[in-house]
Amino acid sequence: MSTSTIILSFSFLFSVLAPITLSELCNPQDKRVLLQLKKDLNNPYLLASWNPDTGCCGWYCVTCDPITHRINSLTIFAGQLSAQIPPAVGDLLYLETLEFHKLSNLTGPIQPTIAKLTNLKSLTLSFTNLSGPVPDFLAQLKNLTDLDLSFNSLSGSIPPSLSQLLHLRFIHLDRNKLTGPIPESFGFFNQVPAPDLYLSHNQLSGKIPVSLGNLKTITVIDLSRNKLEGDASLLFGSDKKLRTLDLSRNVLEFDLSKVEIPERITLLDLSHNKVYGSLPKDLIALDLYLLNVSYNRLCGQIPVGGKLQSFEIYEYFHNKCLCGAPLPSCK
C-alpha cells in the first residue's frame, strides 16, 4: 500500500470518528439541559449551533471541562433574545461561570434555581433588563469570586448576607434602582484584599456605615450618584490601600482638611457634595490622574505642586472660597 493511500485511509477514518468522539465527550444530561434552555429562550438565532445531532462541547457560548467533559461555562451575550432566565439553568450543576450580558430583552427576576450552582465562581448578569430584588440566596454560592449585576433594573435593598461570600474580588451592583442603606455587614469582609465595591448610580440613602472604615485593603469604592449623607471621612486614612474613591453626587458633609489621604490613591472624586474645609497638602505627593472637588464648600488656597495645577478649572470651581491656580489667585 502506498504512502498516499495510507494517508487517505487515516483521513477518512478520522473524518468518520471525529464527530462520534466529539459527541461522546458531551455529557447527555448536560446536553438535555442545554436543549431545554434553548427552547425556553425561544430558540434564538444566537444559539443556532445548539444542534441535537452534534456534541454540546462544541456549541457556541459553551465550554466543557477537559477532564470531566461537564459543562463548566455558559456565556450568552450580545444577541437578540426575548425571554426570562430559564429555571433549567440551575440544572447545569458543574457550572463555574454563568454570564447573560448585553441582552436588553432579557427580563424578569434573577432565577432562584441559580442557588443550586454551588460550584459557581463567576456570575455576570449585566446590561439586561432584569428586575426584582438582589436575591438573598446568592449568599449560598460560597465559591463566588466575581459578582456583576450591573446595568439592570434591580430594586429594593442590598441583602446584608452578601458579606458571607468570603472569596469575592468585586461586587458590581451599579446602575440599578436599589434603595435603602449600604449594609453594615459590608465592613466585615474577611478576605484580603476586601472586594471592590461598585454601588454607583442607584438611590441608596442614609449614612455610610462606620464599619466600611475597617476595610483597609479595599482598592475601589464607588458610591457615586446616590443619596448618601453625613460623614465620609471614615473612608480615608494613610494606611488604606484605596486607589479609587468616588463619592460624587451625594449629600455628604465632612471636613476635608482633617482627613489623611490614602497614599496609593489615583482617582478621587468628591464633586457635588457638601464637603468643607481646605484641600490637604498631602495631595501634592500623590500620582493622581483624576481629582474633582467641584460643587462643594471648600475654602483656602489650592496647594502648589504635584499634579494639582494640571487639572482643569472645572475640577475645582463652584466652591465657597477656593482659590489659586488653576482658579483665580487668592486675594
Side-chain angles (χ1 to χ4, degrees):
M1 185 180 292
S2 67
T3 301
S4 60
T5 303
I6 293 173
I7 293 173
L8 286 173
S9 298
F10 273 112
S11 298
F12 173 77
L13 185 63
F14 180 78
S15 67
V16 172
L17 293 179
I20 298 174
T21 304
L22 184 59
S23 180
E24 288 175 347
L25 290 178
C26 180
N27 180 273
Q29 171 62 19
D30 288 351
K31 186 173 185 178
R32 283 193 293 271
V33 174
L34 289 174
L35 291 173
Q36 183 62 50
L37 280 171
K38 181 181 179 181
K39 179 181 178 181
D40 293 344
L41 292 171
N42 301 312
N43 298 302
Y45 178 75
L46 179 66
L47 306 181
S49 67
W50 291 22
N51 186 331
D53 297 326
T54 61
C56 63
C57 289
W59 291 354
Y60 185 61
C61 302
V62 172
T63 60
C64 293
D65 184 275
I67 298 175
T68 66
H69 310 303
R70 302 302 299 258
I71 304 298
N72 64 2
S73 176
L74 176 63
T75 57
I76 300 177
F77 57 92
Q80 295 299 318
L81 186 156
S82 298
Q84 295 190 15
I85 299 175
V89 73
D91 295 324
L92 294 172
L93 299 178
Y94 291 83
L95 276 185
E96 296 182 6
T97 299
L98 176 61
E99 178 178 344
F100 288 90
H101 178 62
K102 287 193 175 180
L103 301 164
S104 59
N105 292 322
L106 187 70
T107 60
I110 296 176
Q111 178 53 243
T113 59
I114 288 175
K116 296 162 59 178
L117 304 177
T118 55
N119 291 303
L120 210 58
K121 295 180 180 178
S122 177
L123 176 61
T124 299
L125 307 173
S126 60
F127 286 86
T128 73
N129 201 22
L130 293 176
S131 58
V134 176
D136 191 64
F137 64 70
L138 293 178
Q140 300 175 37
L141 304 177
K142 299 300 184 183
N143 291 306
L144 268 190
T145 60
D146 305 341
L147 177 60
D148 187 350
L149 306 179
S150 62
F151 288 84
N152 287 296
S153 296
L154 300 174
S155 59
S157 59
I158 300 173
S161 59
L162 293 183
S163 65
Q164 298 172 22
L165 297 172
L166 301 181
H167 301 289
L168 281 180
R169 299 183 300 178
F170 58 76
I171 300 177
H172 272 281
L173 300 178
D174 42 311
R175 306 270 180 169
N176 280 288
K177 300 175 181 179
L178 300 175
T179 56
I182 300 170
E184 186 76 28
S185 64
F186 273 27
F188 298 101
F189 285 102
N190 291 323
Q191 56 266 52
V192 177
D196 294 336
L197 291 179
Y198 297 88
L199 306 179
S200 70
H201 293 78
N202 281 288
Q203 299 170 33
L204 300 175
S205 59
K207 296 183 178 181
I208 295 173
V210 174
S211 63
L212 285 191
N214 299 330
L215 300 180
K216 298 184 184 300
T217 61
I218 194 169
T219 58
V220 177
I221 297 178
D222 186 353
L223 309 180
S224 61
R225 293 179 183 266
N226 281 289
K227 300 176 181 179
L228 299 168
E229 60 186 29
D231 187 3
S233 63
L234 55 94
L235 299 178
F236 292 82
S238 58
D239 58 341
K240 302 288 182 67
K241 306 300 182 185
L242 271 173
R243 294 183 180 275
T244 295
L245 180 59
D246 192 344
L247 304 176
S248 61
R249 295 182 183 271
N250 281 285
V251 201
L252 298 166
E253 188 172 359
F254 62 97
D255 187 345
L256 186 59
S257 62
K258 294 184 178 180
V259 305
E260 294 182 335
I261 307 294
E263 295 178 356
R264 300 184 183 184
I265 205 160
T266 58
L267 183 155
L268 178 61
D269 193 342
L270 304 176
S271 61
H272 294 267
N273 279 288
K274 298 180 180 180
V275 181
Y276 58 92
S278 58
L279 290 177
K281 292 184 179 180
D282 297 350
L283 292 171
I284 296 174
L286 303 181
D287 187 21
L288 294 166
Y289 76 85
L290 188 150
L291 173 68
N292 194 337
V293 294
S294 63
Y295 290 90
N296 278 292
R297 300 173 179 179
L298 295 168
C299 271
Q301 181 170 349
I302 297 171
V304 178
K307 294 187 175 181
L308 298 189
Q309 278 64 51
S310 68
F311 296 111
E312 299 288 339
I313 189 174
Y314 308 107
E315 273 77 47
Y316 294 107
F317 73 172
H318 281 281
N319 273 285
K320 185 177 180 181
C321 48
L322 199 61
C323 58
L327 292 175
S329 59
C330 302
K331 296 180 181 178

